[in-house]
């Protein structure tokens, strides 16, 4: 207890925890770090940069956090953990990196959450606002810790943040100029007590915001608290937000009211779900910049997409291969399947599997039916996926991703397409989803 008393205790090191230490030390705070891992990532950097900051490793329940000045908790650690919950009950304030950022920033913030599409949306918004002449910094869950971004940025006109539910758990002071909730589907059910609990955490993004952007077709994305400006996107020809997707023509288009702005053929991004992402982006850009949003259309058309998100890998012997390793939950994979299915001339093969995070895989069945010819499953929860979808398509079970690629390679014909969208986390066999995606691409090209 003596080592933690009256100190800022950073719980969880890694990239985010290290950014918190850097930020707190710049403010001359007395900092100590706790990590449950015996050799946490970032330990070497911590010792090099801040040799005076003590790192304690071990299970949290062996530490008495009740006398700490503040707990700064990394996103990977639930604040419901017993040791943290006891400290909260004792009156110790709890923050995360986004909360520290929110208390320190003056420029307007556009904050984006959602189960799927967050990285694509913040990237498009960033590129579009840059095209309009704004100095933009895109940060957060997309990979650049917000506190590192804050220390490195000199002049920022607008911050565009991707925020996960984990980050929102410890955020109270954000007050975004524009807050966005793209969609809510089952994810992280191993962390939350129920789907509704998870959806309620997503609602935190709207607290104190000036304008709330939500998907008209998903009631869980609509703010439950009073909000000055409500900006729905999506819908259909009868009931829709200002920006929505019109699928009535030969090629689906994003529409402003009744005016078609761009079609699926205008975009480098593949999939109908990405048209809806563009509609969300345009809702934000128009609210932020007014009629000038039209000058950003060229930047949106030029956006080539992000790695591991329905990313085209190769055309081999007439067969197209797509890497959607970022499909770490069922909703993301459902969107990828539906988005890709209409553009495939031959058969569509799906590779899925990994660590399912206690998700319900049954929604995969309706997306697969009529769209996917065969599915190959691998990894820890392969059998759970097979049980959920075997009534609608042929299922083949293998042990590893390499075996899945090899099995499909021996069967595909010109005109076919292969989609790798796991619907699962990667940690049973890979370092992270990026590692998984790169291994998939290497297997395809090899």
């Amino acid at each position: 207890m003596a080592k933690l008393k009256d100190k800022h205790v950073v719980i969880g090191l890694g990239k985010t925890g290290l950014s918190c230490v850097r930020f707190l030390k710049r403010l001359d705070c007395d900092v100590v770090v706790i990590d449950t891992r015996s050799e946490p990532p970032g330990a070497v950097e911590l010792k090099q940069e801040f040799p005076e900051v003590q790192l304690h490793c071990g299970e949290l329940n062996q530490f008495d956090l009740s006398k700490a000045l503040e707990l700064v908790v990394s996103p990977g650690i639930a604040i419901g953990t017993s040791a943290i919950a006891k400290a909260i009950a004792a009156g110790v304030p709890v923050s995360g990196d986004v909360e520290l950022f929110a208390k320190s920033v003056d420029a307007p913030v556009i904050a984006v959450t959602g189960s799927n599409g967050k990285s694509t949306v913040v990237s498009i918004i960033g590129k579009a606002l840059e095209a309009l002449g704004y100095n933009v910094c895109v940060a957060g869950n997309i990979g650049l810790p917000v506190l590192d971004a804050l220390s490195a940025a000199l002049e920022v006109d607008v911050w565009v943040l991707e925020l996960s539910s984990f980050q929102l758990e410890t955020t109270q002071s954000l007050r975004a100029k524009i807050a966005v909730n793209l969609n809510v589907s089952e994810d992280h059910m191993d962390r939350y007590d129920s789907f509704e609990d998870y959806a309620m955490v997503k609602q935190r993004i709207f607290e104190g915001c000036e304008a709330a952007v939500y998907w008209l077709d998903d009631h869980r994305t609509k703010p439950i608290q009073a909000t000055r400006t409500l900006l729905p996107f999506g819908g259909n020809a009868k009931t829709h937000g200002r920006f929505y997707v019109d699928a009535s023509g030969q090629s689906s288009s994003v529409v402003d009211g009744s005016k078609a702005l761009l079609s699926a053929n205008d975009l480098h991004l593949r999939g109908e779900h990405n048209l809806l992402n563009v509609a969300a982006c345009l809702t934000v850009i128009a609210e932020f910049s007014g009629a000038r949003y039209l000058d950003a259309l060229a930047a949106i058309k030029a956006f080539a997409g992000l790695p591991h998100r329905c990313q085209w890998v190769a055309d081999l012997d007439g067969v197209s291969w797509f890497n959607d390793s970022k499909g770490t939950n069922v909703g993301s994979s459902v969107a990828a399947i539906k988005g890709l299915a209409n553009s495939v001339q031959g058969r569509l093969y799906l590779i899925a599997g990994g660590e399912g995070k206690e998700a319900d895989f049954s929604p995969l069945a309706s997306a697969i039916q009529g769209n996917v010819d065969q599915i190959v499953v691998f990894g820890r929860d392969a059998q759970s996926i097979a049980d959920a979808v075997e009534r609608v398509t042929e299922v083949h079970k293998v042990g590893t991703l390499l075996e899945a690629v090899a099995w499909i390679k021996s069967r595909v014909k010109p005109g076919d397409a292969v989609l790798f969208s796991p619907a699962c986390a990667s940690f049973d066999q890979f370092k992270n989803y990026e590692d998984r995606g790169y291994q998939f691409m290497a297997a395809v090209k090899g």
Side-chain angles (χ1 to χ4, degrees), residues 61-285:
N61 57 16
Q62 68 181 291
F63 298 99
D64 183 353
L65 305 173
S66 63
K67 302 298 182 183
L69 186 64
E70 178 185 30
L71 304 184
V72 182
V73 183
S74 292
I77 301 169
I79 58 174
T81 302
S82 60
I84 298 174
K86 287 178 183 177
I88 294 173
V92 179
V94 174
S95 298
D97 66 323
V98 177
E99 176 66 9
L100 296 177
F101 169 91
K103 290 178 177 179
S104 308
V105 71
D106 292 324
V109 173
I110 296 170
V112 180
T113 194
S115 300
N116 303 301
K118 300 185 293 295
S119 297
T120 295
V121 166
V122 296
S123 299
I124 294 175
I125 292 172
K127 295 293 185 186
L129 292 179
E130 283 177 356
L132 296 178
Y134 295 100
N135 291 323
V136 184
C137 185
V138 178
N141 193 58
I142 195 169
L144 174 61
V146 291
L147 295 176
D148 282 351
L150 185 62
S151 65
L154 298 176
E155 294 183 13
V156 175
D157 297 323
V158 54
W159 296 90
V160 182
L161 304 185
E162 176 188 333
L163 301 181
S164 69
S165 60
F166 295 174
Q167 290 171 310
L168 290 170
E169 287 178 18
T170 54
T171 302
Q172 300 88 34
S173 309
L174 186 58
R175 311 290 186 265
K177 183 174 182 63
I178 304 174
V180 185
N181 193 357
L182 295 169
N183 48 67
V184 182
S185 61
E186 272 201 6
D187 199 6
H188 306 299
M189 290 300 100
D190 52 347
R191 171 112 162 200
Y192 297 102
D193 292 335
S194 68
F195 183 26
E196 291 306 321
D197 288 338
Y198 169 63
M200 288 303 296
V201 172
K202 292 290 190 187
Q203 284 283 327
R204 294 175 67 91
I205 200 166
F206 293 126
E207 292 181 2
C209 72
E210 294 182 23
V213 176
Y214 65 96
W215 183 21
L216 198 60
D217 294 334
D218 185 346
H219 71 275
R220 291 185 177 88
T221 66
K222 186 176 181 179
I224 58 175
Q225 59 269 71
T227 305
R228 185 189 309 174
T229 303
L230 293 175
L231 299 170
F233 69 93
N236 53 49
K238 289 185 178 180
T239 305
H240 55 77
R242 176 179 171 182
F243 298 94
Y244 66 102
V245 179
D246 180 4
S248 61
Q250 287 186 334
S251 178
S252 297
S253 299
V254 179
V255 177
D256 178 358
S258 59
K259 178 184 177 183
L261 297 174
L262 44 80
S263 72
N265 295 331
D266 294 326
L267 298 173
H268 288 296
L269 295 172
R270 294 287 194 103
E272 294 281 333
H273 60 295
N274 276 318
L275 286 174
L276 195 61
N277 285 336
V278 169
C281 293
L282 288 171
T283 304
V284 171
I285 298 160

